[in-house]
């Protein structure tokens, strides 16, 4: 089967890509210097492609890796293990260019341990792998080919050249209840009605949204929004490069398990001494798992293993979560874990919110709502879709206010300029919030691993996370690196991670709310 049939959260329907019109529309708004300089962040080694020969693309079956130095009987805790990876095509020939998306991990299966390895692309078909040795005991290298360089070339071309790979549906309603349904998108040229469109400008962020003009109803009768179609944007050859049998596949085992010796009776590298506070630099890797617990390497992360410890931390706080469904998992986890945190029925569309839970004895209020369009969702009232900028502008902030933002997954179906434009407004709103009330805690959840298709690939997510980090790098915010937290263990990638990972993500959030 092809990745074109990947399962999405909403019903998928394919339509042929409409002919690409000449550009006549440029998004408005000025970009700050930090975001204008982001294009260099999206560098990826160029790949010549396979000239239509699938056998010339990188193969997970024939690519190999081996230790850089002779094997040792045991290794030193706190040291590094280094390896060399040789990419090969399906006929076993070494590749001469880079650009493959590999994932390397050092795993301790019996210890529920894992850490992502660093991969240096020498851009000649050879990659250098480096793994920090952070726990004592057995450790095993695993390498997966997520996408061949040829598949990455397909994804990069789509991201750069297509204005969208999906569209959306707008629902207009007249006074008698009569409805008209049209196509909507981020660009008026993508609605199918370039000459006759309804423009919607968010007064707070300046962001624009466009719908084809309904046959009889006026533009101001737009009441509903939902996902539309997934466009067919790939050729059969490109689909073969992204097919399941060559995507996210483990390479043959190239290194025997190693043994890491204890150091001064210590079985783990020492945790950082500094408490978790916004603005601390993020090392690579940002942390590791041991016994199923995430240990941050940037700050002294805490464990909130009891209901009372969570209640004690959240007491007196109002938490505003704004983002996608992977952030809604945090809201759900807290409601599921803390029995006295009671969800309120706001009679909204659950998938998009807003959602609210309260704990009256401890004075805790927990909000979640989806970010505004572009949003792939079931039908939801347009009035419920607030921009992040609008929500942030309505907050006074202060030491009892926590803001958590989680964006990314719904922006992989558009070129990076759409996400940059969104980040420009959000960054300004976060800066204004911190300026008027510096004791507000703002947490940015990076996007996690998950999809492997032309609509939502890990390669797209890597670029989205680069943009997220750069956009907020000079602001006093905290980051939760969900990318590494979802790519450090031998667990299958899911756009909605399992309970173990969500528990650790929420634990790390609580470590910033209650650092000591």
């Amino acid at each position: 089967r092809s990745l074109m049939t990947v399962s999405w959260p909403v019903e998928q329907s394919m339509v042929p890509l409409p002919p690409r019109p000449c550009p006549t529309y440029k998004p408005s708004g000025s970009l700050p210097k930090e975001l204008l300089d982001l294009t260099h962040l999206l560098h990826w080694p160029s790949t010549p492609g396979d000239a239509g020969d699938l056998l010339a693309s990188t193969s997970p079956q024939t690519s190999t890796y081996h230790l850089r130095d002779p094997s040792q009987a045991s290794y030193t805790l706190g040291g590094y293990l280094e390896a060399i990876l040789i990419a090969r095509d399906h006929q076993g020939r070494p590749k001469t260019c880079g650009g493959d998306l590999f994932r390397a991990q050092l795993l301790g299966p019996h210890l529920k341990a894992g850490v992502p390895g660093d991969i240096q692309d020498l851009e000649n078909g050879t990659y250098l792998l480096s793994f920090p040795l952070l726990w004592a005991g057995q450790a095993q290298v695993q390498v997966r080919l997520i996408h061949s360089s040829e598949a990455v070339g397909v994804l990069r071309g789509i991201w750069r050249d297509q204005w969208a790979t999906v569209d959306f549906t707008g629902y207009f309603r007249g006074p008698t209840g009569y409805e008209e349904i049209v196509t909507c998108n981020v660009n008026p040229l993508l609605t199918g009605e370039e000459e006759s469109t309804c423009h919607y400008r968010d007064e707070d962020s300046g962001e624009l949204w466009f719908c084809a003009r309904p046959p009889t109803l006026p533009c101001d009768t737009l009441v509903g929004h939902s996902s539309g179609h997934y466009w067919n944007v790939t050729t059969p050859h490109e689909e073969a490069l992204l097919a399941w049998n060559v995507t996210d596949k483990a390479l043959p085992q190239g290194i025997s398990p190693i043994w890491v010796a204890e150091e001064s009776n210590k079985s783990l590298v020492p945790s950082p001494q500094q408490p978790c506070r916004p603005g601390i630099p993020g090392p690579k890797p940002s942390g590791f798992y041991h016994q199923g617990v995430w240990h941050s390497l940037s700050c002294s992360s805490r464990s909130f293993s009891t209901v009372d410890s969570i209640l004690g931390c959240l007491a007196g706080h109002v938490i505003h979560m704004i983002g996608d469904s992977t952030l809604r998992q945090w809201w759900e986890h807290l409601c599921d874990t803390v029995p006295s945190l009671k969800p309120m029925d706001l009679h909204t569309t659950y998938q998009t919110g807003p959602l609210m839970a309260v704990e009256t004895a401890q004075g805790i209020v927990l909000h979640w709502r989806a970010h505004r369009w572009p949003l792939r969702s079931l039908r939801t009232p347009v009035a419920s879709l607030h921009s992040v900028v609008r929500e942030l502008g309505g907050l006074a902030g202060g030491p009892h206010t926590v803001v958590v933002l989680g964006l990314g997954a719904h922006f992989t179906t558009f070129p990076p300029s759409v996400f940059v434009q969104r980040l420009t407004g959000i960054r300004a709103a976060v800066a204004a919030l911190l300026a008027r009330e510096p004791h507000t805690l703002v947490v940015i959840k990076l996007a996690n691993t998950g999809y492997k298709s032309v609509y939502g690939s890990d390669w797209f997510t890597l670029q989205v996370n680069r943009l997220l980090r750069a956009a907020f790098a000079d602001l006093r915010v905290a980051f939760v690196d969900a990318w590494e937290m979802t790519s450090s263990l031998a667990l299958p990638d899911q756009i909605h991670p399992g309970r173990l990972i969500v528990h650790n993500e929420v634990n790390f959030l609580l470590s910033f709310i209650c650092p000591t």
Side-chain angles (χ1 to χ4, degrees):
R1 59 187 177 87
S2 158
L3 278 179
M4 294 291 282
T5 58
V6 67
S7 171
W8 288 85
V10 293
E11 183 181 355
Q12 173 176 316
S13 53
M14 288 293 191
V15 295
L17 181 65
R20 185 160 186 256
C22 299
T24 58
Y25 162 71
K26 292 278 192 298
S28 63
S30 58
L31 302 179
K33 178 172 64 68
E34 293 85 359
L35 290 176
L36 280 173
D37 294 342
L38 287 182
T39 47
H40 78 276
L41 282 172
L42 302 182
H43 167 77
W44 196 266
S46 60
T47 58
D50 60 3
D53 178 11
L54 199 63
L55 295 178
S57 63
T58 307
S59 165
Q61 284 86 30
T62 61
S63 298
T64 59
Y65 58 93
H66 59 269
L67 285 176
R68 187 174 188 176
D69 300 311
S71 179
Q72 300 171 203
S74 69
Y75 289 80
T76 305
L77 186 68
Y80 283 85
L81 183 73
E82 296 184 325
I84 296 173
L85 191 162
I86 308 293
R88 292 182 168 84
D89 68 15
H90 289 267
Q91 294 179 312
R93 299 171 298 197
K95 298 292 291 289
T96 56
C97 63
D100 300 291
L101 179 57
F102 287 103
R103 180 185 301 166
Q105 299 168 307
L106 189 67
L107 303 170
H110 306 303
L111 299 168
K112 294 182 186 170
V115 66
D118 179 68
I119 301 178
Q120 182 184 352
D121 186 348
L122 301 186
E123 302 191 21
N124 61 3
T126 300
Y127 300 78
L128 299 183
L129 314 181
S130 179
F131 306 90
L133 304 177
L134 303 173
W135 64 85
Q138 195 178 71
Q140 172 73 63
V141 172
Q142 177 176 285
V143 181
R144 303 182 74 82
L145 177 66
I146 305 298
H147 291 301
S148 67
S149 59
E150 292 77 14
V152 169
V154 173
L155 297 173
R156 179 160 58 176
I158 288 170
W159 210 38
R160 182 187 60 224
D161 299 335
Q162 299 289 353
W163 286 354
T165 55
V166 297
D167 60 29
F168 302 86
T169 302
Y171 303 84
F172 293 74
R173 185 188 301 143
T176 64
Y178 165 69
E179 288 199 344
E180 293 177 343
I181 300 172
V182 303
T183 298
C184 304
N185 220 318
V186 297
N187 185 312
L189 304 180
L190 302 174
T191 64
E193 299 286 343
E194 180 185 349
E195 300 304 320
S196 181
T197 55
C198 295
H199 294 210
Y200 300 94
R201 184 178 187 275
D202 186 275
E203 293 303 318
D204 299 283
S205 67
E207 292 157 17
L208 294 169
W209 186 251
F210 304 90
C211 293
R213 190 176 294 272
T216 64
L217 294 173
C219 288
D220 62 4
T221 59
L222 177 66
V223 294
H225 166 88
S226 76
S227 300
H229 304 93
Y230 290 88
W231 295 349
N232 192 347
V233 295
T234 47
T235 66
H237 178 70
E238 290 170 339
E239 289 174 30
L241 289 170
L242 291 160
W244 68 272
N245 61 320
V246 290
T247 300
D248 191 20
K249 295 299 179 191
L251 273 59
Q253 192 54 253
I255 298 174
S256 298
I258 66 163
W259 185 263
V260 181
E262 288 189 355
E263 186 79 12
S264 307
N265 291 326
K266 295 270 195 311
S267 60
L268 291 179
V269 294
S271 294
Q273 294 300 302
Q274 66 173 335
C276 295
R277 301 195 191 281
I280 56 175
K284 276 195 73 69
S286 61
F288 66 100
Y289 285 100
H290 185 262
Q291 299 298 356
V293 174
W294 179 257
H295 296 261
S296 170
L297 292 172
S298 62
C299 60
S300 180
S301 51
R302 300 179 59 199
S303 177
F304 297 83
S305 54
T306 66
V307 170
D308 286 346
S309 64
I310 297 171
L311 283 172
C313 176
L314 293 180
H317 284 90
V318 181
I319 296 159
H320 301 267
M321 298 182 181
I322 314 167
D324 57 36
S325 55
T326 66
L327 185 58
R328 188 182 68 223
Q329 286 186 275
W330 293 15
W331 185 92
E332 292 165 340
H333 178 80
L334 285 167
C335 291
D336 291 344
T337 305
V338 181
S340 58
L341 196 54
K342 301 295 186 186
M344 309 296 292
D345 185 359
L346 301 182
H347 306 286
T348 59
T349 306
Y350 182 83
Q351 192 188 28
T352 52
L355 307 178
M356 183 172 78
V358 296
E359 211 284 359
T360 54
Q362 300 288 342
I364 302 165
V365 184
L366 187 62
H367 295 281
W368 175 85
R369 72 184 313 140
H371 61 71
R372 208 176 191 196
W373 44 48
L375 187 71
R376 298 188 300 270
S377 70
L378 303 171
R379 178 170 173 170
T380 195
V382 166
S384 295
L385 297 176
H386 296 184
S387 70
V388 176
V389 172
R390 172 178 168 182
E391 287 295 301
L392 296 181
L395 297 179
H400 299 288
T401 301
V402 179
V403 172
V404 189
L405 303 178
L407 297 93
H410 291 259
F411 290 86
T412 58
T413 52
F414 305 96
S417 57
V418 172
F419 194 46
V420 167
Q421 190 80 5
R422 179 65 53 96
L423 288 176
T424 303
I426 294 174
R427 183 187 181 284
V430 168
L433 173 60
L434 294 175
R436 66 179 175 263
E437 190 43 86
H439 294 295
T440 310
L441 174 61
V442 177
V443 179
I444 309 294
K445 175 195 172 292
L446 297 184
N448 52 260
T449 59
Y451 296 131
K452 307 282 187 286
S453 85
V454 293
Y455 308 108
S457 158
D458 285 349
W459 185 82
F460 293 138
T461 305
L462 267 179
Q463 316 311 313
V464 159
N465 282 340
R466 287 174 171 181
L467 295 176
L468 273 168
R469 275 203 183 276
F472 296 100
D474 62 339
L475 296 181
R476 199 170 173 276
V477 304
F479 288 95
V480 175
D481 193 342
W483 172 269
E484 289 199 350
M485 295 178 87
T486 52
S487 58
S488 296
L489 289 172
L491 296 172
D493 285 344
Q494 298 173 298
I495 194 65
H496 296 117
R499 183 175 175 84
L500 171 73
I501 287 172
V502 174
H503 171 74
N504 279 286
E505 290 174 342
V506 171
N507 244 3
F508 197 38
L509 166 68
L510 296 174
S511 295
F512 283 103
I513 299 174
C514 306
T516 56

